[in-house]
Amino acid sequence: MSTQPFRLPRGGRIDRARPHRFIFNGRAYSGYAGDTLAAALLANGIHLVGRSFKYHRPRGIVTAGVEEPNALVQLGVGARSEPNLRATQCELYDGLIATSQNCWPSLRFDLGAINDRLARFLPAGFYYKTFMWPPSAWMQYEHAIRRMAGLGTAPEERDSDRYDKRLVHCDVLVVGAGPAGLAAALAAGRTGARVILADEQVEFGGSLLSGSAEIDGRPALDWVARATAELDWMAEAKLLRRATVFGYYDHNYLAIVERVADHLANPGEREPRQRLWKVRARQVVLATGAIERPLIFRDNDRPGIMLAGAARAYAHRYAAVPGRRTVVFTNNDSAYAAALDLIEAGGPVTTLIDIRAEPQGELADAVRAHGVEVIGGSAIVATSGRHRVKGVEVMRLTPDGTGVAGPVKYRDCDVVCMSGGWTPAVHLFSQSRGTLAYDSTHGCFVPSRAAQATHVAGICNGAWTLAECLRQGFTAGTAAARAAGFVEVAAAAAPPAPEPTATPPRILWAVPSDRAGTTSKHFVDFQNDVTVADIQLAAREGYRSVEHVKRYTTSGMGTDQGKLGNIPALGVLSDVLAADLPSLGTTTFRPPYTPVSFGALTGRDIDALADPIRVTPMHDWHVANGAIFEDVGQWKRPHFYPRAGETMRAAVDREVTAARTAVGILDASTLGKIDIQGPDAVTLLNRIYTNGWTTLEAARCRYGLMLKDDGMVIDDGVTTRLAPDHFHMTTTTGNAARVLGWLEEWVQTEWPDLRVYMASVTEQWAVATLSGPRARDVLAAAGTDLDLAPTAFPSQSMRQGAVAGMPARVFRVSFTGELSYEVNVPARCGGALWEALIAAGAPFGITPYGTEAMHVLRAEKGFIIVGQETDGTVTPLDLGLDRLVSKTKDFIGKRALLRPDTQRSDRKQLVGLLTEDPNEVLPEGAQIVVERRPEPPMPMIGHVTSSYFSPTLGRSIALALIVGGRARHGETLCVPLLGKTVKVEVAESCFYDRDGARANG
Amino acid sequence: MADRTQWGSPLDAASWPPRGIFATVRFEERPFVGKLILRGSADTREFLDVSRAVLGFALPTTANTVAVDGDLAALWLGPREWMVTTTPEREADIAERLCRALVGQHAAVTDVSDGRTVIRLAGPSARDILMKGCPLDLHPREFVPGRCAQSQLARAQIILHQIDETPTYDLYVAPSFARYLWAWLVDAAAEYAIA
């Protein structure tokens, strides 16, 4: 294991008492608790961490935060392995294993680097231009391109971690715990408001962790410690660390991913790895900070070239200096402060190159006082070094900044710290639909008008000094709390935080060079290998919109979404187009701010909890008796009950035959049931159903059809009059909730004058349906006080009484065409009822049947199933149910049935089909033609809606919707299938017992 | 329904084994609680008076509140909708008295005792567990004993009623969803498990 040659002897926020070992690309290294992987690598002198996406150029660590474009690693092995993680964000733990991505066969020797030499053949839009022809070949190209450009590997094993969720509300959500965010949280928290403070870092402090600022005459981190302690003490303040607010949605709804255990070598089994917080906040304070921009100079991507603020963070926070000979290249003051920090920490700075002509002021003087050579009005025009930067060439800028002139100065170095200024992190503000304004002095967008209950504070709001950040933080926190209804007792004043006087930056988007070459590039977007030349090419080819340029060049795509390069890319585009930068606008900021794992979004909604499984009171009996289940919506319904060695077809045939010749029993508990009461209940039914209800007597049942206002069938079912103003409605299983909603909608919005109340009783009642010639015998054997004689209890009627000692409502209605009783008992008795009927039915050969047999039985009778024979385009007339459509009253859908279109004679109508070969069972959905032509197209005149083998008839049967179907009875049509054509004869839709004698007996 | 041997509840121990022992929360089914949906207009003096006469207390007219008296409670579910709860098997008597008293009025009583079961959740972690799947604001400043609401827990519809400050909650859930919800609760409480 190597030592840590670039670790400073003291300082930093690492825990030197807790050394950690880790493996990077197969080699062992050491670091400390408190390191990030990137910091530990730099402490070990490692800059080269990856290869670029397109040209496979060697790349190093550029940043110290979430904006990192290059240092993407695959972390861990096996099921817990995760690709595309930023080494700058991965907390080091003992035993961590990481590998570089996108290099083959190794990081130092990468075959893909040949792309760098072929760059002139790989311009912007290369993929669009090259691989689009022939269109069919894209599938092959894509495969190869993906492998070439691959970003890590998804694990193939099942994710072994737990992920959890929490849905919370608060008065004030503060995003970011830098100086402004801490100040805002303090101000809001002191009012007693419920505050959530979320920060993506391990500890609070934000930029203060990485610098040497002072607040109130003491180190700023003392203030951070005091603020954090005060917040910790507040009962109603919730502090979230390692928690990234990644989405800002409507109505102040924000999403946070908290990395609970990612930093642990051995996370607890019951602890989640990550937790998704869904927050509804009355007020939001965004204190999201700013991201430093790179300078766009020639070959600005060599390992060792990094952001000045990042170098400062590594030296200060992690006690790791990036190199021994540092050159600084800047257009603004912040790099001077960074240089001073580096020098103080022990990392020598030799030269500082400033784009601005005459670097003056306190900072410049201080840097010079340390013996640093300050070169003003100049630029780096070239860099050298393959796996690590070795030196830079410097020339004077022409006064307008578009060219360079004069002699070339060469300076040796092993690190270049660059700073192109700072970009406020307006991502969340923009996601919330807040508008942005352009700050031309600092070359960036700042929040302008909020669209929601949003406050902005700190550098993300253009507060360029620490004192202003603190002031804005306190103000925003106070304002947010007040808007949420909380007022502070004593106003808090922001503490003083003096800083050197600032001089404005000089914005120069593309830094000129004295030469051009195919292998030298000015990188704008490191992750996607987009150069100034690519953007210029896009502009020359006519691209004007930033959204189009983004997609054409791929600038701003990828895992970092252009956090570094978006603004420089805009600047370059505005230069080329000679357009005002703000007039170009920005690309759209979309959630997530940083990538979020699928696991966190899914949470515990996996396996058996993925979706509710609804079961009936008889479910355990079905399981114990070998039922095979069918999913009907969320319900598990018995599909059929195979005996040992029985096929599905044999089981269904047996179940159907039992119901036709002896007796079957079906669990019909899932049927939708609605209790309707009130003097106007009958009026409601008259308006909702197509047929009339006024004449229905008490204790009688009637089948009804329900239409939408467009005249199309939406539901059907039997409704029973329990008393003059009391009805029991049944609906199809899948429509139970929808129909109740439909009734409520009409009653609440259109007919509030109707005196009627509805209540769902779907689950109040368990239902066992006895069906078959012996159904009456079974009911009698089970024991009942009801008179079952056909005259006393006729078809289409209901009786209340006791069945097997249970209080029951028995409905004599039939969906099979056989003598049927639907026995309803309170759900708690469902299991007992079922077992009592099974026992009582044993001497009569009672056979439980599932939904498949139910379908066959009803299809033999030509009974429709809504959703199978109907699809939202079928009227009652199409179904041949004209007799159910009242001519004398009004009902929903009536006017639509009078439209010429619904009265056409060539509409698709329901018919029966009989195949020429009685053993041929058509596939449902099969298309029907008059005659098969050798080649498509051929006019399709309909399709099969239901198709079964009918054991009762000993042949196959089918229902179909066919153009002008009723006029075609007796015609022979064709059903073209793969490799064959089936001839069918159009028939009546009712195949069995057409006069209904069996059910009425 | 006197023969209790014929009764079964969706979360009967015999048929539904997943259980757990948790340090800071416990949950149990309260089967067969009597439940009536009472519909009528709170704007009608007569309806309120008659209801009070039968129940012995006034129906709550503040949204999402519960009135309790002995083993009777009335949960406000909507401007014209309450759920009256009572001990098992008492519901028929209450329903009958309500119906009789409300004759001639535009009102409705529906027995839904079997249409929902009750899961009682109690203990210091109960609120945290609900927050894993319920979008309501359950903070003590917003949701206190005596409050109720119709909402979601995970993917099931529930009526939530806070009983006391332990906190203890009653979750009313349709029996077909009860096993799903129970499994979800056992899973959500995993971090508090001691056995």
Side-chain angles (χ1 to χ4, degrees):
Chain A
M1 191 188 308
S2 49
T3 56
Q4 300 173 40
F6 290 83
R7 184 74 74 182
L8 295 168
R10 70 191 79 77
R13 301 184 69 76
I14 50 169
D15 184 354
R16 290 169 203 261
R18 290 168 60 209
H20 284 338
R21 296 182 311 158
F22 68 101
I23 293 174
F24 179 66
N25 286 339
R27 272 194 68 186
Y29 299 95
S30 66
Y32 293 112
D35 265 332
T36 62
L37 174 59
L41 286 170
L42 288 174
N44 285 281
I46 294 172
H47 277 258
L48 174 64
V49 290
R51 290 275 176 167
S52 70
F53 185 76
K54 183 169 156 190
Y55 302 125
H56 290 245
R57 285 167 67 111
R59 288 284 167 81
I61 297 160
V62 179
T63 74
V66 296
E67 65 274 30
E68 177 62 35
N70 287 345
L72 300 183
V73 295
Q74 180 102 22
L75 199 66
V77 289
R80 298 198 77 225
S81 177
E82 200 176 346
N84 305 334
L85 292 177
R86 297 161 294 279
T88 50
Q89 252 199 323
C90 301
E91 289 177 56
L92 198 66
Y93 54 80
D94 200 43
L96 178 147
I97 299 173
T99 47
S100 294
Q101 298 180 168
N102 201 29
C103 49
W104 187 81
S106 78
L107 179 58
R108 293 192 77 83
F109 178 75
D110 179 342
L111 281 177
I114 189 72
N115 282 1
D116 198 16
R117 306 279 164 199
L118 300 176
R120 89 166 85 172
F121 306 112
L122 294 166
F126 169 72
Y127 301 117
Y128 301 114
K129 288 165 181 164
T130 310
F131 294 114
M132 276 309 164
W133 200 259
S136 58
W138 171 248
M139 300 304 249
Q140 277 76 49
Y141 292 139
E142 191 188 21
H143 201 62
I145 290 168
R146 279 192 185 279
R147 198 166 41 203
M148 201 64 192
L151 285 165
T153 322
E156 297 197 352
E157 297 92 328
R158 190 191 155 86
D159 191 337
S160 56
D161 287 303
R162 271 183 82 90
Y163 299 85
D164 214 344
K165 288 185 190 175
R166 191 147 303 191
L167 283 55
V168 293
H169 298 250
C170 66
D171 297 309
V172 180
L173 170 65
V174 181
V175 185
L182 281 170
L186 280 179
R190 284 171 185 165
T191 66
R194 292 155 65 190
V195 174
I196 296 176
L197 174 60
D199 190 275
E200 65 187 9
Q201 297 276 324
V202 186
E203 50 180 336
F204 289 168
S207 60
L208 301 176
L209 296 165
S210 304
S212 47
E214 293 194 342
I215 295 176
D216 226 354
R218 295 166 64 185
L221 290 178
D222 288 0
W223 179 83
V224 170
R226 281 201 311 277
T228 307
E230 185 181 341
L231 287 165
D232 258 329
W233 169 84
M234 292 177 185
E236 293 300 345
K238 180 108 208 152
L239 310 184
L240 298 178
R241 297 172 179 86
R242 301 185 174 97
T244 305
V245 181
F246 67 82
Y248 193 148
Y249 308 94
D250 285 345
H251 306 291
N252 268 13
Y253 186 58
L254 295 94
I256 306 175
V257 62
E258 180 193 9
R259 291 170 292 278
V260 182
D262 276 359
H263 61 292
L264 301 175
N266 297 300
E269 242 176 70
R270 287 163 178 162
E271 276 278 297
R273 176 186 186 177
Q274 297 178 353
R275 182 178 286 127
L276 182 72
W277 294 73
K278 298 179 170 186
V279 184
R280 188 74 72 175
R282 290 206 169 93
Q283 301 285 319
V284 170
V285 177
L286 296 177
T288 45
I291 294 169
E292 196 172 20
R293 287 193 296 266
L295 282 167
I296 313 303
F297 57 97
R298 180 172 183 258
D299 290 335
N300 57 345
D301 68 326
R302 297 191 195 280
I305 302 179
M306 65 197 315
L307 293 170
R312 184 186 197 184
Y314 287 118
H316 226 281
R317 184 170 173 189
Y318 302 104
V321 282
R324 307 253 185 251
R325 290 182 67 81
T326 303
V327 165
V328 179
F329 183 27
T330 187
N331 71 347
N332 71 93
D333 284 355
S334 71
Y336 286 77
L340 288 170
D341 257 16
L342 274 176
I343 293 164
E344 200 173 315
V349 177
T350 53
T351 305
L352 189 151
I353 302 142
D354 196 329
I355 283 174
R356 296 173 298 183
E358 303 292 339
Q360 300 293 346
E362 284 172 64
L363 283 166
D365 294 345
V367 168
R368 286 195 182 96
H370 278 95
V372 176
E373 175 195 19
V374 177
I375 308 175
S378 297
I380 294 177
V381 296
T383 64
S384 57
R386 178 140 186 83
H387 290 149
R388 177 75 180 267
V389 65
K390 285 193 312 207
V392 298
E393 292 172 43
V394 181
M395 290 175 74
R396 275 208 82 74
L397 281 162
T398 56
D400 66 354
T402 59
V404 284
V408 177
K409 292 182 182 131
Y410 185 84
R411 295 288 180 272
D412 279 332
C413 65
D414 59 359
V415 167
V416 176
C417 291
M418 60 180 165
S419 179
W422 293 80
T423 303
V426 294
H427 304 70
L428 292 176
F429 184 81
S430 188
Q431 284 178 23
S432 78
R433 291 176 293 104
T435 58
L436 303 175
Y438 187 64
D439 173 346
S440 57
T441 306
H442 298 93
C444 61
F445 287 93
V446 290
S448 172
R449 221 176 32 255
Q452 303 192 35
T454 315
H455 310 255
V456 204
I459 193 167
C460 77
N461 193 35
W464 299 101
T465 64
L466 176 55
E468 179 63 7
C469 284
L470 291 166
R471 198 193 59 74
Q472 285 194 3
F474 276 102
T475 307
T478 306
R482 186 178 300 127
F486 295 85
V487 180
E488 197 182 3
V489 187
E499 283 178 305
T501 331
T503 45
R506 177 183 180 191
I507 305 299
L508 189 58
W509 296 120
V511 176
S513 172
D514 59 330
R515 72 208 89 158
T518 51
T519 58
S520 67
K521 302 175 183 72
H522 291 59
F523 283 97
V524 175
D525 182 318
F526 295 106
Q527 190 172 92
N528 298 296
D529 272 348
V530 180
T531 65
V532 169
D534 290 329
I535 294 172
Q536 289 169 338
L537 175 70
R540 278 202 304 280
E541 292 187 356
Y543 288 87
R544 293 290 180 274
S545 151
V546 285
E547 298 282 8
H548 291 156
V549 171
K550 167 178 174 170
R551 280 148 188 87
Y552 191 58
T553 64
T554 71
S555 171
M557 294 188 172
T559 61
D560 66 338
Q561 287 288 296
K563 289 190 176 60
L564 298 185
N566 274 353
I567 296 290
L570 265 178
V572 170
L573 185 65
S574 76
D575 284 351
V576 193
L577 297 176
D580 231 14
L581 190 147
S583 74
L584 296 174
T586 65
T587 51
T588 310
F589 294 91
R590 292 192 182 88
Y593 174 64
T594 48
V596 180
S597 68
F598 284 117
L601 297 175
T602 309
R604 299 298 303 154
D605 295 339
I606 53 169
D607 300 331
L609 301 178
D611 200 39
I613 294 169
R614 301 179 67 182
V615 297
T616 72
M618 294 81 140
H619 185 75
D620 292 338
W621 189 94
H622 304 320
V623 173
N625 287 274
I628 303 295
F629 289 90
E630 180 185 30
D631 290 332
V632 181
Q634 292 171 324
W635 289 100
K636 286 279 177 213
R637 298 193 69 182
H639 196 195
F640 55 99
Y641 300 81
R643 289 180 179 162
E646 212 175 27
T647 62
M648 172 175 170
R649 165 78 179 274
V652 172
D653 285 358
R654 174 176 52 74
E655 292 171 15
V656 169
T657 306
R660 289 274 178 244
T661 60
V663 59
I665 182 168
L666 173 81
D667 180 356
S669 303
T670 62
L671 213 63
K673 307 170 200 76
I674 300 169
D675 188 58
I676 304 176
Q677 296 187 43
D680 294 325
V682 71
T683 309
L684 174 68
L685 293 178
N686 272 331
R687 294 181 187 177
I688 288 284
Y689 280 128
T690 59
N691 45 342
W693 293 80
T694 314
T695 57
L696 188 70
E697 292 166 27
R700 299 293 297 196
C701 317
R702 183 168 287 174
Y703 174 79
L705 263 186
M706 217 177 269
L707 309 187
K708 221 168 75 165
D709 24 10
D710 62 4
M712 306 302 157
V713 174
I714 51 168
D715 203 63
D716 67 346
V718 171
T719 291
T720 302
R721 194 165 206 163
L722 300 173
D725 57 358
H726 192 180
F727 291 83
H728 176 89
M729 175 186 277
T730 64
T731 74
T732 51
T733 295
N735 273 344
R738 214 169 303 152
V739 170
L740 179 58
W742 179 246
L743 301 183
E744 286 287 359
E745 183 185 338
W746 283 96
V747 168
Q748 291 183 27
T749 64
E750 299 294 327
W751 308 320
D753 53 307
L754 287 189
R755 291 163 301 159
V756 60
Y757 287 120
M758 281 81 68
S760 169
V761 288
T762 298
E763 300 216 31
Q764 168 70 17
W765 300 99
V767 183
T769 299
L770 292 168
S771 203
R774 310 305 298 270
R776 185 177 288 120
D777 299 324
V778 176
L779 202 50
T784 179
D785 54 3
L786 299 176
D787 182 351
L788 300 177
T791 45
F793 191 173
S795 181
Q796 300 289 93
S797 63
M798 185 279 305
R799 295 291 179 269
Q800 305 198 49
V803 172
M806 290 165 248
R809 288 177 181 171
V810 183
F811 299 81
R812 202 186 145 188
V813 293
S814 177
F815 193 43
T816 59
E818 298 296 326
L819 170 65
S820 286
Y821 298 96
E822 294 186 353
V823 185
N824 287 233
V825 294
R828 74 185 71 174
C829 299
L833 172 75
W834 186 269
E835 295 198 24
L837 292 176
I838 291 279
F844 307 99
I846 195 165
T847 302
Y849 65 96
T851 49
E852 187 66 15
M854 175 189 83
H855 278 222
V856 176
L857 288 159
R858 65 90 200 176
E860 288 173 345
K861 286 292 296 172
F863 294 151
I864 62 154
I865 285 190
V866 169
Q868 190 153 345
E869 271 63 55
T870 71
D871 59 4
T873 69
V874 179
T875 71
L877 287 58
D878 300 339
L879 296 170
L881 296 174
D882 315 33
R883 67 191 156 81
L884 289 179
V885 179
S886 169
K887 303 227 176 346
T888 56
K889 57 146 198 172
D890 201 2
F891 57 88
I892 296 171
K894 179 163 190 169
R895 265 158 290 178
L897 294 183
L898 301 175
R899 291 164 54 223
D901 182 64
T902 49
Q903 301 200 319
R904 281 187 292 117
S905 58
D906 61 346
R907 286 181 64 85
K908 286 187 181 174
Q909 296 166 335
L910 188 71
V911 294
L913 293 182
L914 293 170
T915 52
E916 198 176 56
D917 171 2
N919 287 314
E920 177 80 45
V921 180
L922 293 167
E924 288 175 354
Q927 296 293 321
I928 298 157
V929 299
V930 175
E931 57 173 351
R932 181 164 197 163
R933 295 182 185 164
E935 287 288 322
M938 52 195 115
M940 294 179 291
I941 59 166
H943 65 275
V944 176
T945 59
S946 293
S947 176
Y948 309 94
F949 185 84
S950 159
T952 312
L953 303 171
R955 59 152 304 133
S956 71
I957 55 169
L959 296 172
L961 285 166
I962 293 180
V963 169
R966 277 196 290 279
R968 293 182 189 267
H969 280 192
E971 266 183 43
T972 299
L973 301 172
C974 293
V975 179
L977 299 176
L978 268 184
K980 63 177 174 185
T981 302
V982 179
K983 283 197 156 44
V984 295
E985 189 195 318
V986 179
E988 287 282 336
S989 58
C990 179
F991 300 95
Y992 182 69
D993 187 31
R994 291 207 175 111
D995 59 4
R998 301 180 65 88
N1000 296 326
Chain B
M1 284 199 281
D3 185 1
R4 283 196 171 225
T5 61
Q6 293 179 328
W7 292 9
S9 83
L11 297 168
D12 269 350
S15 62
W16 186 242
R19 302 276 156 179
I21 300 172
F22 307 97
T24 48
V25 67
R26 88 197 122 74
F27 29 100
E28 60 183 5
E29 185 188 17
R30 296 177 60 219
F32 316 126
V33 169
K35 305 170 206 80
L36 304 170
I37 293 292
L38 173 60
R39 305 290 304 262
S41 173
D43 302 332
T44 318
R45 196 68 265 157
E46 216 187 340
F47 170 74
L48 292 178
D49 288 347
V50 166
S51 304
R52 181 166 48 211
V54 173
L55 298 175
F57 59 89
L59 287 173
T61 49
T62 304
N64 291 329
T65 58
V66 183
V68 185
D69 184 21
D71 59 11
L72 266 182
L75 287 70
W76 186 100
L77 299 183
R80 295 168 180 203
E81 184 173 3
W82 293 263
M83 185 165 71
V84 176
T85 66
T86 184
T87 45
E89 295 191 275
R90 234 194 111 192
E91 67 272 9
D93 173 51
I94 308 277
E96 202 191 310
R97 282 161 52 206
L98 278 171
C99 286
R100 221 177 13 242
L102 289 166
V103 160
Q105 287 197 43
H106 175 37
V109 178
T110 307
D111 185 352
V112 293
S113 302
D114 292 55
R116 289 179 183 269
T117 190
V118 181
I119 297 173
R120 176 160 283 186
L121 191 61
S125 299
R127 185 177 288 117
D128 281 346
I129 288 171
L130 291 180
M131 280 165 63
K132 293 181 178 199
C134 179
L136 293 175
D137 188 355
L138 299 175
H139 188 277
R141 284 184 189 169
E142 300 290 332
F143 203 88
V144 293
R147 285 287 304 274
C148 69
Q150 302 188 68
S151 187
Q152 292 272 126
L153 184 56
R155 289 166 191 246
Q157 284 183 16
I158 56 161
I159 298 171
L160 184 67
H161 173 200
Q162 185 171 348
I163 307 295
D164 63 28
E165 280 166 358
T166 305
T168 301
Y169 299 96
D170 274 352
L171 276 49
Y172 293 78
V173 62
S176 68
F177 284 93
R179 290 183 180 185
Y180 159 77
L181 197 66
W182 185 274
W184 185 90
L185 286 166
V186 170
D187 182 78
E191 61 188 283
Y192 313 105
I194 52 175

